Every structure is written in structure tokens, then in C-alpha cells.
Amino acid sequence: MSTPPRRRRLEVEDSGEITIVNFIDRKILDEQNIQKIGEDLFSLVEELGRKKVLLNFSNVEYLSSAALGKFITLNKKVQAVGGKLVMCNINDDIFEVFEITKLNKLFNIQKDEQTALQTF
Amino acid sequence: MRTSLPDGSVEFVIASDLNEARNLQEMIERQLRQCHYEDKEVFGIRLALEEAIVNAIKHGNGLDHRKKVQVRYRILPDRFDVSVTDEGPGYNPNAIPDPLADENLESPSGRGIFLMRHYMTEVTVHPPGNRLTMCKVRKKAHLHAEVCR
């Protein structure tokens, strides 16, 4: 019996050694769906061996603290393999969440994808 | 289960189910927009609601579907009030480590109550800690009062 295909939550493309991740059809990173998205993100590093990861937030309209937790864990996993995690295209409301939690100091956040790609 | 109360509040009792929580939040979000709450206000209220209801479901009721979460809210032109009650033993919010402390900055959890306090005007956890009330007082009352009734 074949395993049913997993619902696609991330759009992943490669730019050289850099893996660019866009969030698709899940614009809301709340508790309901962040668990699965977290698993998909972690597998990029743990199973597929990606070390340079760029998260593009252009489709993300909303997130909660559970999503922040996943990004922190992803950051640790990337650093553990000597890689780098960068984020870009974060809208003002969501950037405020990073700012008030001081996570803007923990994460490498860039304005747009072009700028972000140059930081790797 | 939905109940309308004499003071204009509406009370929902939902199972400890994240999907039900999502539906309720989306409904409240739509009502806030109908009452002309601004995008930034809706973003903050929705984030605070998500943190409060998910806390109740996960940490209060331990994701036990037999246990209920009661959400009572009222939308007025000048303020939004909500209470969230679970069936858990409660918790002491003061016992949660400061998420802004350097040693906690990389902790993957512990930011929920902090975010609620940032985005809402007032947040109170009532002893024994299984009931939380919060309100958002708007800076300028909107003129479309009748829409919120």
C-alpha cells in the first residue's frame, strides 16, 4: 500500500548552494499548521543536508509564538552543521513580533531576497 | 456551543481542538473587521487570542478533547474584551522565565503571555490560573457603533 502524498506546504528552490524556502497556501503560521511546517523545515537540514537556508516571508501574513519556536530550533540545527539561516521579506506587523521578542538580534533578517542572497 | 449574554458578550464553549480554535479566531477576526477595527489592531488581537486559546488547549487541558475551553468576548467600538477559561489546574504566570533575558533568548517556548501583554491593553490571569481575561482599549472610538451591536 502506497503512502498518500504529503500536502505541500513549502516551495523550495535552489540558488547555487542556497536553499530558498517560500511558504505556500499556508499564509498563517499558527499552532494548527506550524508543527508540520516545522517538520518539513527540519528535514531540509537533517535529511536533505541543506546548510544555507533562506526563508522568504513574502506570503506570510501572520504568525504566533509557536512559529518563533520552530525558527529558533531550525536556526540551531543549521548552525550545528556549520550552515546559515537568513530571513527576508518580513512585513511590518511580523517584524514587530521579532523586534519585541528581541529575536531580530538572534536571526539574520534582510529586507529582500536579493540582499539576503548576498549575505551567504 | 454559542450563548449570547445580556451585556452584549457572546460565549462559545469549544472542545480542546486546534481546528475549532482556528475557526473561532477567524470568526472573531471577521467581526472585528466588520466593526472597523484597523489591520494593526486585528493583527495584535488575533495573535493574543491565538496564544491564549492555544495555551488553554495545550497546557491547560493537555489536548484532551473531552475537556472544554470557554471563550467569552465582546466587541465594542472603543474596546474588545475577552476571557478564556480551561479545565486545567491553572498556572502561575510569574513563574514563567523572562523571554527577553539573554539566557532565554534561544528558548523555543515561553513567549505567549509576553506577546499577549504587548498587544493587549490589559491581561490578567485569575487564580488558580485557568482563567485569563484581557482587553484592548482603542485609542480612538470608532463612529460605526451600530455595526458592533
Side-chain angles (χ1 to χ4, degrees):
Chain A
M1 197 170 73
S2 63
T3 310
R6 294 183 67 177
R7 184 170 184 171
R8 203 158 156 258
R9 303 176 193 90
L10 304 176
E11 185 181 81
V12 180
E13 60 174 306
D14 291 322
S15 174
E17 289 185 323
I18 303 165
T19 298
I20 304 171
V21 179
N22 278 280
F23 299 91
I24 50 171
D25 99 328
R26 291 292 191 192
K27 294 183 177 180
I28 298 175
L29 303 184
D30 62 3
E31 185 73 29
Q32 175 74 348
N33 54 48
I34 193 60
Q35 300 301 338
K36 297 292 183 191
I37 289 176
E39 287 171 18
D40 289 350
L41 288 173
F42 299 162
S43 76
L44 286 175
V45 182
E46 294 175 329
E47 292 169 29
L48 302 175
R50 309 293 173 92
K51 290 185 177 179
K52 296 179 179 178
V53 180
L54 170 57
L55 297 183
N56 188 330
F57 279 71
S58 58
N59 289 329
V60 180
E61 297 171 350
Y62 171 79
L63 53 67
S64 69
S65 66
L68 298 177
K70 294 296 178 194
F71 298 141
I72 289 168
T73 303
L74 177 66
N75 196 38
K76 286 179 183 170
K77 289 181 188 294
V78 170
Q79 287 180 342
V81 295
K84 188 172 182 177
L85 173 69
V86 181
M87 302 172 169
C88 70
N89 284 333
I90 298 181
N91 76 32
D92 289 348
D93 284 338
I94 291 178
F95 186 74
E96 185 181 342
V97 177
F98 282 93
E99 212 168 22
I100 60 173
T101 53
K102 289 189 177 177
L103 291 175
N104 59 325
K105 294 178 180 174
L106 184 71
F107 295 120
N108 184 336
I109 298 176
Q110 301 295 326
K111 185 182 174 193
D112 53 40
E113 190 171 300
Q114 195 58 39
T115 315
L117 287 170
Q118 289 168 0
T119 66
F120 283 95
Chain B
M1 192 176 71
R2 180 188 195 278
T3 310
S4 294
L5 302 167
D7 68 349
S9 301
V10 180
E11 181 183 291
F12 280 86
V13 178
I14 63 169
S16 296
D17 178 277
L18 294 172
N19 205 34
E20 283 201 40
R22 160 79 73 82
N23 291 340
L24 179 56
Q25 287 172 55
E26 287 179 348
M27 192 195 67
I28 294 173
E29 181 179 339
R30 282 195 299 272
Q31 293 173 354
L32 289 166
R33 292 191 189 283
Q34 283 165 7
C35 290
H36 304 279
Y37 276 58
E38 292 169 10
D39 288 346
K40 197 169 179 60
E41 295 170 316
V42 174
F43 179 90
I45 291 172
R46 172 137 192 202
L47 180 51
L49 269 178
E50 158 86 4
E51 301 295 342
I53 298 174
V54 168
N55 269 353
I57 290 174
K58 280 179 71 180
H59 304 300
N61 290 349
L63 288 168
D64 181 345
H65 281 224
R66 292 166 300 182
K67 293 183 177 176
K68 306 291 186 190
V69 174
Q70 179 204 71
V71 179
R72 181 184 294 189
Y73 68 94
R74 183 174 61 171
I75 303 173
L76 295 174
D78 60 342
R79 63 183 288 152
F80 171 77
D81 294 277
V82 63
S83 73
V84 178
T85 308
D86 61 59
E87 296 185 42
Y91 74 105
N92 177 7
N94 298 324
I96 295 174
D98 176 9
L100 301 186
D102 286 345
E103 64 271 25
N104 300 325
L105 213 53
E106 292 193 62
S107 170
S109 59
R111 294 178 181 80
I113 190 86
F114 172 83
L115 289 171
M116 287 184 246
R117 285 184 170 138
H118 176 81
Y119 284 101
M120 302 300 277
T121 310
E122 199 175 301
V123 178
T124 308
V125 178
H126 302 270
N130 67 336
R131 187 169 79 92
L132 173 145
T133 55
M134 48 188 183
C135 71
K136 174 83 175 176
V137 178
R138 303 182 74 195
K139 285 178 182 162
K140 47 183 180 181
H142 207 281
L143 297 174
H144 298 263
E146 70 284 358
V147 181
C148 299
R149 296 291 180 187

